[in-house]
C-alpha cells in the first residue's frame, strides 16, 4: 500500500489500499470516492454513507469513456462544502491520474504541460500511457477556446495561488543557490605595540595576600544609648548628667558588681578515706566506708 497523495485541499490520489483504509477516510473527511477500476475494486463503504462515482475502465482500453462535466462537478462540490474526495485505481499510475489531470486543467485553466509538472512534483512514479496522453491532448485543444495558463507567474483565485505556491516552494533548491561572497575589508588588522603579554604562574606558586577585615571605629558621641531606670533610684529622671558622666557611672556600677564578696564560707573538700575503713557507732551499728553493716556483739 502506498500512502495517498494530497493534490490540493480536499483532493487525494491513492491506490486500492487507500480505498480500503477506513481510518484514512474518516481522518481526512472523505465523503466522496471516484473509483476508476470498478470492475476489479468494489465500492466498500457505500453502506456507511460515502458517495461513489464509478468508472469500469481497463488498462488495455485506448480511450476512456469519460464525462468530464459530471466528474468536475462531483469533485468541486465536495471541496466547496469543506469535504474531501479520493480518486483511486488499482496502483494509482494511469487511470486515477487521468481524472486528476482533467480536473486541474479545467479548474485552474492550466495547460497539460503545466498540470503534469505540478503532479510530477507531488507524485513522480505515475505512468500515463500514450493513448491516454493523446486523449489529454484532445481535451487541452477543447479547452483552448479559453486562454490557458502555461507559466507560474499568474494566479486567478485563492485556490490557484495556493497550488502555485506549493509547486514553487517545492522547486526551490537552496543547495543550488549561489553562495554570497562575504565582503572582505581592505584594511588589515594591526596590533598595538604597547600590549604586554602576561604570564600566569601555576596555582601552587601563587601567593595570596591575607586580608584582615578592619574593625569599625566606634564614635561614642554618635552611639544610641539606652538608659535603664533603676527602681531604687527615684530621682533618675530629674537628674541631668552629661554624656561622659552617664558612661562613667554605668561603668562604675558594672565594676561594683564584680567586686562584691560573698559571705558564704568555702566548702572544704572531703578527704579521701584510707585503706582501713573508718568505723563509727550509730545506735548499736557500725558503719564502714565500704558500706558493710556490722552488728555490735553484746
Amino acid at each position: 500500500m502506498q500512502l495517498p497523495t494530497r493534490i490540493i485541499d480536499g483532493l487525494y490520489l491513492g491506490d486500492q489500499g487507500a480505498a480500503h483504509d477506513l481510518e484514512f477516510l474518516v481522518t481526512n473527511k472523505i465523503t466522496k470516492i471516484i473509483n476508476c477500476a470498478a470492475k476489479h475494486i468494489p465500492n466498500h463503504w457505500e453502506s456507511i454513507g460515502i458517495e461513489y462515482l464509478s468508472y469500469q475502465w481497463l488498462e488495455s482500453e485506448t480511450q476512456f469513456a469519460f464525462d468530464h462535466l459530471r466528474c468536475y462537478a462531483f469533485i468541486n462540490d465536495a471541496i466547496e462544502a469543506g469535504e474531501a474526495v479520493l480518486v483511486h485505481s488499482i496502483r494509482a499510475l494511469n487511470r486515477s491520474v487521468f481524472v486528476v489531470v482533467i480536473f486541474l486543467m479545467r479548474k485552474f485553466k492550466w495547460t497539460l504541460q503545466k498540470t503534469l509538472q505540478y503532479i510530477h512534483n507531488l507524485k513522480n512514479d505515475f505512468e500515463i500511457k500514450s493513448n491516454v496522453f493523446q486523449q489529454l491532448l484532445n481535451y487541452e485543444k477543447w479547452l483552448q477556446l479559453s486562454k490557458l495558463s502555461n507559466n507560474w507567474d499568474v494566479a486567478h483565485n485563492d485556490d490557484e495561488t495556493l497550488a502555485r505556491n506549493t509547486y514553487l516552494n517545492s522547486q526551490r533548491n537552496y543547495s543550488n543557490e549561489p553562495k554570497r561572497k562575504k565582503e572582505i575589508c581592505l584594511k588589515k588588522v594591526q596590533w598595538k605595540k604597547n600590549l604586554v603579554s602576561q604570564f600566569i604562574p601555576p596555582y601552587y606558586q601563587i601567593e595570596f595576600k591575607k586580608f584582615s577585615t578592619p574593625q569599625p571605629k566606634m564614635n561614642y558621641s554618635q552611639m544610641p544609648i539606652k538608659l535603664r531606670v533603676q527602681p531604687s533610684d527615684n530621682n533618675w529622671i530629674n537628674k541631668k548628667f552629661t554624656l561622659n558622666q552617664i558612661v562613667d557611672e554605668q561603668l562604675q556600677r558594672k565594676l561594683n558588681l564584680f567586686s562584691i564578696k560573698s559571705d558564704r564560707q568555702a566548702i572544704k573538700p572531703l578527704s579521701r578515706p584510707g585503706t582501713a575503713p573508718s568505723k563509727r557507732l550509730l545506735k548499736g551499728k557500725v558503719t564502714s566506708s565500704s558500706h558493710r553493716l556490722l552488728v555490735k556483739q553484746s
Side-chain angles (χ1 to χ4, degrees):
M1 172 184 173
Q2 296 180 356
L3 294 176
T5 304
R6 174 184 166 276
I7 305 299
I8 58 174
D9 288 342
L11 179 60
Y12 292 88
L13 176 64
D15 57 358
Q16 183 178 1
H20 294 169
D21 191 355
L22 182 60
E23 183 179 359
F24 165 75
L25 301 178
V26 174
T27 303
N28 294 277
K29 299 180 180 179
I30 295 176
T31 59
K32 295 183 179 181
I33 295 177
I34 297 179
N35 187 357
C36 301
K39 283 188 177 182
H40 301 91
I41 305 174
N43 299 333
H44 293 281
W45 310 114
E46 285 182 336
S47 59
I48 63 174
I50 294 180
E51 186 178 356
Y52 279 83
L53 180 60
S54 301
Y55 294 102
Q56 297 181 356
W57 294 335
L58 299 175
E59 288 288 348
S60 59
E61 293 181 358
T62 57
Q63 296 287 329
F64 292 150
F66 182 66
D67 186 4
H68 58 87
L69 296 178
R70 180 186 177 189
C71 181
Y72 175 80
F74 186 82
I75 299 175
N76 193 56
D77 293 345
I79 294 176
E80 290 183 354
E83 301 171 354
V85 181
L86 173 65
V87 182
H88 77 88
S89 57
I90 296 177
R91 295 185 300 165
L93 298 178
N94 183 30
R95 287 168 286 186
S96 56
V97 176
F98 168 77
V99 175
V100 172
V101 169
I102 286 184
F103 174 78
L104 294 178
M105 290 174 63
R106 181 175 178 83
K107 182 174 180 61
F108 299 136
K109 295 182 180 180
W110 288 351
T111 60
L112 179 60
Q113 181 183 0
K114 184 176 179 179
T115 307
L116 292 178
Q117 286 178 356
Y118 180 81
I119 296 178
H120 184 269
N121 182 60
L122 301 175
K123 180 180 175 61
N124 55 5
D125 59 343
F126 64 90
E127 300 174 359
I128 296 181
K129 296 184 177 181
S130 58
N131 53 353
V132 178
F133 186 77
Q134 184 62 40
Q135 188 174 355
L136 292 175
L137 288 175
N138 296 333
Y139 184 73
E140 182 185 22
K141 291 179 182 179
W142 182 80
L143 289 177
Q144 288 291 350
L145 299 176
S146 58
K147 294 182 180 181
L148 300 181
S149 174
N150 195 26
N151 53 41
W152 298 97
D153 299 333
V154 182
H156 299 88
N157 49 42
D158 296 338
D159 295 336
E160 186 178 0
T161 303
L162 181 60
R164 182 196 66 176
N165 294 341
T166 303
Y167 175 79
L168 294 178
N169 291 334
S170 61
Q171 291 297 312
R172 186 177 181 182
N173 192 356
Y174 294 93
S175 60
N176 297 331
E177 290 185 356
K179 296 182 179 180
R180 296 181 180 178
K181 296 182 179 180
K182 296 182 179 180
E183 297 181 357
I184 302 175
C185 186
L186 298 177
K187 294 183 180 181
K188 295 182 179 180
V189 178
Q190 297 180 357
W191 300 97
K192 292 184 179 180
K193 296 180 180 180
N194 56 356
L195 291 177
V196 180
S197 61
Q198 184 179 4
F199 171 72
I200 302 176
Y203 183 79
Y204 62 88
Q205 295 181 2
I206 299 176
E207 295 181 358
F208 297 95
K209 295 182 180 180
K210 296 181 179 180
F211 295 96
S212 59
T213 55
Q215 296 182 357
K217 296 181 180 180
M218 305 300 292
N219 189 358
Y220 292 99
S221 61
Q222 297 179 358
M223 288 178 59
I225 300 176
K226 295 182 180 180
L227 301 179
R228 293 184 179 180
V229 180
Q230 300 294 335
S232 61
D233 192 1
N234 298 325
N235 297 327
W236 179 264
I237 300 175
N238 298 329
K239 292 181 182 180
K240 295 181 180 180
F241 296 100
T242 61
L243 180 62
N244 295 330
Q245 291 177 352
I246 294 172
V247 173
D248 294 340
E249 188 175 353
Q250 289 183 353
L251 292 175
Q252 188 64 30
R253 289 184 178 180
K254 290 182 180 181
L255 293 174
N256 293 336
L257 292 176
F258 291 103
S259 62
I260 296 174
K261 296 183 179 180
S262 176
D263 296 336
R264 297 180 181 179
Q265 297 180 358
I267 301 173
K268 295 180 180 181
L270 296 176
S271 61
R272 186 175 181 181
T275 56
S278 60
K279 300 178 181 180
R280 50 184 179 175
L281 183 62
L282 292 176
K283 295 182 180 181
K285 296 181 182 180
V286 178
T287 307
S288 64
S289 60
S290 62
H291 303 287
R292 294 178 180 177
L293 298 179
L294 300 177
V295 180
K296 185 179 179 182
Q297 297 178 1
S298 57

